[in-house]
């Protein structure tokens, strides 16, 4: 029995299948952990959703920003962008079933030794706060108010966490931290604008969320995706592992076998702009 963890697939279904063949993934014995952004700019988002859903309890998935945006597009709040290549999902006969499955996924998944999320865990959260924040939004996504949440989640504020935040301000912060965060200020305040790799940053005020000096230490390794510009990341001091290596941009899809910390990669089958 093994735990395999994969970074952003973004519709790169064929590359995922080749990776799983490479490690001889067996659903009856193994668990596949997916760090969000199942869909978007790759060619086979529909196939990816159907495959992961069919895995049932052999898959553990968290929501990414593109997955949430798909829900917003499905509700008609935004037109489907051709570059996102999600139109086949929206016209599929099982679209409603897939959307119900998608919104039932959490923002945080947990194993004895690691936690997994899409973008990261706010540096001002301890693990109990992170768990509680995930539970709040996950419950709302599965409630009758889920459409209200999806419609109103788009904003870059608030950028600072306060336990007294309420309503949509509270939910926005949680969603942004879990699905969009990259850089923070030294205080832990989120910066929602910069997408550069850290090596190209010339703003001394900003740093990767996992390098904030006052970041609260968690008892487990944090595994995340989202930040393709990092091209993978293993920061032992911060106890984090980033797995997004830009397959959808013509690079590679990366999978980690947790038990022996071995990495496997599948080169993108086609460069995509």
């Amino acid at each position: 029995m093994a735990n395999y963890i994969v970074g952003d697939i973004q519709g790169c279904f064929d590359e995922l299948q080749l990776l799983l063949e490479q490690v001889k993934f067996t659903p009856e014995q193994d668990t596949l952990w997916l760090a969000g952004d199942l869909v978007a700019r790759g060619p086979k988002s529909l196939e990816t959703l159907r495959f992961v859903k069919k895995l049932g309890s052999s898959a553990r998935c968290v929501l990414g920003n593109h997955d949430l945006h798909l829900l917003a597009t499905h509700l008609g709040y935004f037109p489907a962008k051709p570059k996102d290549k999600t139109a086949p999902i929206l016209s599929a006969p099982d679209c409603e079933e897939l959307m119900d499955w998608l919104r039932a996924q959490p923002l945080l998944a947990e194993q004895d030794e690691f936690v997994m999320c899409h973008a990261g865990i706010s540096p001002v959260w301890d693990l109990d706060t992170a768990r509680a924040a995930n539970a709040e939004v996950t419950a709302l996504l599965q409630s009758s108010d889920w459409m209200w949440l999806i419609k109103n989640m788009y904003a870059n504020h608030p950028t600072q966490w306060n336990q007294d935040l309420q309503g949509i301000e509270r939910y926005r912060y949680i969603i942004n931290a879990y699905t969009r965060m990259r850089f923070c200020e030294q205080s832990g305040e989120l910066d929602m604008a910069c997408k550069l790799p850290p090596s190209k940053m010339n703003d001394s005020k900003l740093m990767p969320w996992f390098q904030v000096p006052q970041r609260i230490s968690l008892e487990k390794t944090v595994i995340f995706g989202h930040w393709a510009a990092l091209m993978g990341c293993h920061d032992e001091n911060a106890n984090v592992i980033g797995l997004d290596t830009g397959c959808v941009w013509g690079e590679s899809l990366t999978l980690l076998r947790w038990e022996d910390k071995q990495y496997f990669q599948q080169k993108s089958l086609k460069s995509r702009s």
Side-chain angles (χ1 to χ4, degrees):
M1 297 177 63
N3 290 284
Y4 293 101
I5 313 158
V6 67
D8 302 35
I9 299 168
Q10 285 217 31
C12 296
F13 177 74
D14 293 339
E15 290 87 341
L16 174 64
Q17 294 304 306
L18 289 171
L19 259 185
L20 296 180
E21 290 174 13
Q22 185 182 152
V23 300
K24 297 179 171 57
F25 173 74
T26 306
E28 293 77 19
Q29 300 177 359
D30 304 324
T31 302
L32 180 63
W33 299 71
L34 305 104
D37 277 5
L38 299 181
V39 305
R41 299 178 182 179
K44 294 185 177 181
S45 291
L46 175 58
E47 291 86 345
T48 301
L49 278 183
R50 285 173 171 167
F51 172 74
V52 178
K53 178 178 178 292
K54 189 175 180 180
L55 284 176
S57 61
S58 297
R60 298 287 304 277
C61 178
V62 294
L63 292 170
N65 53 301
H66 283 291
D67 306 316
L68 289 169
H69 188 71
L70 174 60
L71 289 172
T73 304
H74 166 63
L75 291 172
Y77 299 142
F78 298 93
K81 298 177 182 177
K83 67 179 181 180
D84 281 346
K85 299 181 173 65
T86 54
I89 300 173
L90 302 175
S91 60
D94 54 346
C95 177
E96 290 293 338
E97 184 180 341
L98 290 169
M99 295 302 98
D100 286 345
W101 174 84
L102 192 63
R103 67 184 178 92
Q105 306 312 304
L107 298 172
L108 178 73
E110 189 168 355
Q111 195 253 18
D112 290 344
E113 297 179 320
F114 65 82
V115 294
M116 179 186 70
C117 50
H118 181 60
I121 293 180
S122 171
V124 302
W125 286 348
D126 59 21
L127 192 50
D128 284 341
T129 303
R131 289 166 174 155
N134 166 63
E136 286 185 51
V137 171
T138 299
L140 192 55
L141 281 170
Q142 296 177 42
S143 76
S144 59
D145 291 326
W146 75 277
M147 289 181 282
W148 168 83
L149 175 64
I150 295 296
K151 183 177 182 179
N152 292 284
M153 68 180 178
Y154 287 92
N156 290 336
H157 57 80
T159 56
Q160 289 182 309
W161 174 252
N162 185 316
Q163 188 58 45
D164 294 330
L165 283 173
Q166 295 182 359
I168 195 60
E169 297 283 299
R170 184 180 183 89
Y171 304 136
R172 276 185 191 144
Y173 181 95
I174 294 170
I175 289 171
N176 284 341
Y178 268 129
T179 69
R180 296 180 59 212
M181 176 176 65
R182 291 185 178 93
F183 286 102
C184 292
E185 296 188 10
Q186 186 166 341
S187 64
E189 182 174 353
L190 306 184
D191 176 89
M192 303 309 300
C194 186
K195 298 181 181 181
L196 293 172
S199 61
K200 295 185 179 180
M201 275 294 299
N202 55 15
D203 187 343
S204 60
K205 294 180 181 179
L206 298 180
M207 61 204 71
W209 62 267
F210 50 85
Q211 292 179 354
V212 171
Q214 303 305 315
R215 175 177 170 240
I216 296 176
S217 178
L218 306 179
E219 305 95 46
K220 301 183 179 187
T221 301
V222 178
I223 301 177
F224 66 101
H226 183 58
W227 203 346
L230 292 177
M231 283 306 294
C233 166
H234 187 184
D235 190 324
E236 293 185 359
N237 293 327
N239 200 19
V240 300
I241 297 174
L243 289 178
D244 185 4
T245 47
C247 184
V248 76
W249 308 117
E251 299 295 338
S252 298
L253 189 64
T254 295
L255 180 143
L256 167 66
R257 184 165 59 208
W258 179 254
E259 283 68 25
D260 59 2
K261 308 302 186 289
Q262 185 172 350
Y263 291 85
F264 303 86
Q265 286 196 323
Q266 171 60 50
K267 182 68 178 174
S268 174
L269 298 178
K270 182 180 179 181
S271 295
R272 303 181 182 98
S273 60

